[in-house]
Amino acid sequence: MNISKYNHYIEQGESCIIFNAYTVSFLITNKRDINKFLLMGNFEELEKEQPQLFYDLCKKGMLIPDFFDEKATYISDVMDRKFSGKTYHMIINMTMDCNLRCWYCYENHIDNSVIGEDTISSIIKHIKLKYDKAPFELLTLSFFGGEPLLYKEKILHILSLINPIASIKGFKITINFTTNSTLLTKDFVDAIKGYHSTFQITLDGCRNIHNTIRKYKDKKAIGSYDRILESLSLIKEHLSDYELVLRINVSPQTSVGLQSMVSDIEPFLDPQRATIAVHKVWQVNEKKIDDCIINNFVKECQTRGFVCTYLDLKYKLCSCYADNLNEVVINYDGRVYKCTARKFNEANSCGFLREDGVIIWDYTKLMNRMNLQIPERCINCDMLPVCSKRCSQSLLDEPKEFCVLKEGYSKVDYIIELLNNSIVSKKRAK
């Protein structure tokens, strides 16, 4: 037997919390037994004197057989996922227009831009061709933009064209929306009840601050904060098969009054289906954000029964959907991309969707991405399986190695946040 290289030990008085980053499991036990048996390698003695502890350590992957190479197995699973054909993930940019004007948005808004019938027809042909060449079990359709719900009827039209194909071919469909949700309606919610749906919706701080940041394109319109809460209510009340990520953008400006948001949002979220995810606005200096405010917000959300992440450890075989071969972004104009976190311009394009449904890839760009390797310092890190890691776009932009863990936080901080969220998840499952 061997001790897992992904074990982490956190001493709490006479107790010890063991966290394993490969199995994403926790064990709380007596510190003396860990020091006496496990850390000293007295495995036979441990099995004789503490058989239940020995069993738990083995079950949770904290004590492993001699032959088992965790790192090699994890890397093998990463490669399987990277080239897996079970899921085909298509992201459709319905438009580059948006009804809001947020200062930090990286996209170039194009007024009145909209996916046309020609592009929709090519998408449908492509799905048929893709399945016939390499059958998949699940088609995940993500609607992105711009603001995709500017064109709700076109989204429903696309779904209506794909449904018969799914029925004939035998694959399932799930749908995702990255949306500001200000245009969500009950009619639309009713129309997507037959799908498993996922929403990512964003708030920028408390009501007063949010409304100064997430302004409408139409300057006469006001109050996007309350409109978003109404949409959260629509989802909660009228959908049953869904997941929701409520993203809270933080900056020095939005962190003021952050904790007061918890009471605002609580009535509009189902803790069984909603996760609250805190993210720094990427353009601001992280050091200017008060970590204490964020930590208190996270703890308050967890106290009220919500999974809330800022450090965000979880088991990951890929950092981002763009790392996987079986993923594509189709822009409204037929251009093809892999990443949604960069401008949708010609320089970043990886190809185009032909009229007959064939994607003509820029082979060099595609293979440069797919040939990227996990950086050596990440490969050898004892947090590898649960760390967000560097995504392929980040590695293309900046090959130099660096750690993605946030400055000012230790591994223990990351593990404790995950432990607290695990406790919340277990409580709400009862």
Side-chain angles (χ1 to χ4, degrees), residues 294-420:
I294 295 174
N295 295 336
N296 287 338
F297 174 79
V298 170
K299 290 175 183 176
E300 180 64 22
C301 290
Q302 292 170 337
T303 298
R304 299 192 186 213
F306 292 99
V307 170
C308 184
T309 64
Y310 178 54
L311 305 179
D312 194 23
L313 285 189
K314 59 185 174 185
Y315 188 79
K316 296 173 183 174
L317 291 174
C318 61
S319 174
C320 173
Y321 43 76
D323 299 347
N324 299 318
L325 180 62
N326 231 22
E327 176 270 351
V328 63
V329 183
I330 308 293
N331 201 37
Y332 76 96
D333 59 4
R335 282 181 177 170
V336 171
Y337 300 81
K338 289 290 287 181
C339 176
T340 60
R342 297 295 183 271
K343 291 182 178 181
F344 296 104
N345 55 27
E346 186 173 355
N348 292 327
S349 176
C350 297
F352 65 92
L353 178 64
R354 208 165 61 187
E355 184 180 353
D356 61 359
V358 174
I359 291 179
I360 305 301
W361 288 98
D362 182 319
Y363 181 76
T364 300
K365 285 185 176 181
L366 179 62
M367 294 312 297
N368 283 345
R369 183 183 294 272
M370 300 313 299
N371 286 330
L372 290 168
Q373 299 180 15
I374 300 174
E376 185 176 353
R377 70 177 294 173
C378 297
I379 286 283
N380 296 316
C381 179
D382 56 13
M383 296 285 271
L384 172 66
V386 291
C387 175
S388 62
K389 295 177 276 294
R390 303 267 313 276
C391 70
S392 55
Q393 189 62 51
S394 170
L395 289 168
L396 287 169
D397 293 343
E398 178 50 76
K400 183 179 178 181
E401 292 192 11
F402 62 85
C403 181
V404 300
L405 298 184
K406 298 181 187 296
E407 289 186 28
Y409 289 90
S410 67
K411 292 179 182 179
V412 171
D413 294 324
Y414 275 79
I415 293 168
I416 292 298
E417 180 187 275
L418 178 59
L419 174 60
N420 290 337

Side-chain angles (χ1 to χ4, degrees), residues 143-287:
F143 296 98
F144 200 77
E147 172 46 53
L149 296 187
L150 279 168
Y151 297 100
K152 294 185 285 292
E153 293 305 316
K154 283 185 175 287
I155 290 173
L156 297 179
H157 175 55
I158 290 170
L159 292 174
S160 73
L161 294 174
I162 297 174
N163 281 332
I165 304 171
S167 296
I168 294 169
K169 306 290 187 183
F171 59 83
K172 296 181 180 179
I173 302 172
T174 63
I175 55 177
N176 301 333
F177 300 94
T178 300
T179 172
N180 62 44
S181 81
T182 59
L183 299 170
L184 194 68
T185 63
K186 184 177 181 301
D187 286 346
F188 183 77
V189 169
D190 287 340
I192 62 171
K193 281 183 177 179
Y195 303 91
H196 175 76
S197 53
T198 303
F199 298 84
Q200 179 176 290
I201 296 170
T202 303
L203 288 173
D204 284 66
C206 62
R207 178 181 283 100
N208 292 340
I209 293 174
H210 170 100
N211 286 337
T212 65
I213 295 172
R214 308 205 78 190
K215 299 178 181 179
Y216 284 98
K217 175 183 175 182
D218 178 359
K219 295 181 180 179
K220 295 179 182 178
I222 58 174
S224 64
Y225 185 90
D226 289 295
R227 182 65 189 86
I228 292 170
L229 294 185
E230 290 174 13
S231 295
L232 295 176
S233 182
L234 278 176
I235 294 168
K236 178 183 176 182
E237 297 300 325
H238 298 285
L239 289 180
S240 57
D241 186 13
Y242 75 93
E243 299 171 53
L244 171 68
V245 177
L246 181 62
R247 176 174 173 136
I248 309 297
N249 281 341
V250 292
S251 66
Q253 182 184 9
T254 62
S255 60
V256 177
L258 186 63
Q259 204 159 343
S260 67
M261 286 183 63
V262 184
S263 296
D264 273 0
I265 62 180
E266 184 176 15
F268 300 95
L269 299 176
D270 179 354
Q272 299 287 339
R273 298 188 175 277
T275 296
I276 300 171
V278 182
H279 288 266
K280 179 187 75 70
V281 176
W282 66 272
Q283 292 98 329
V284 304
N285 187 337
E286 197 162 7
K287 294 180 181 179

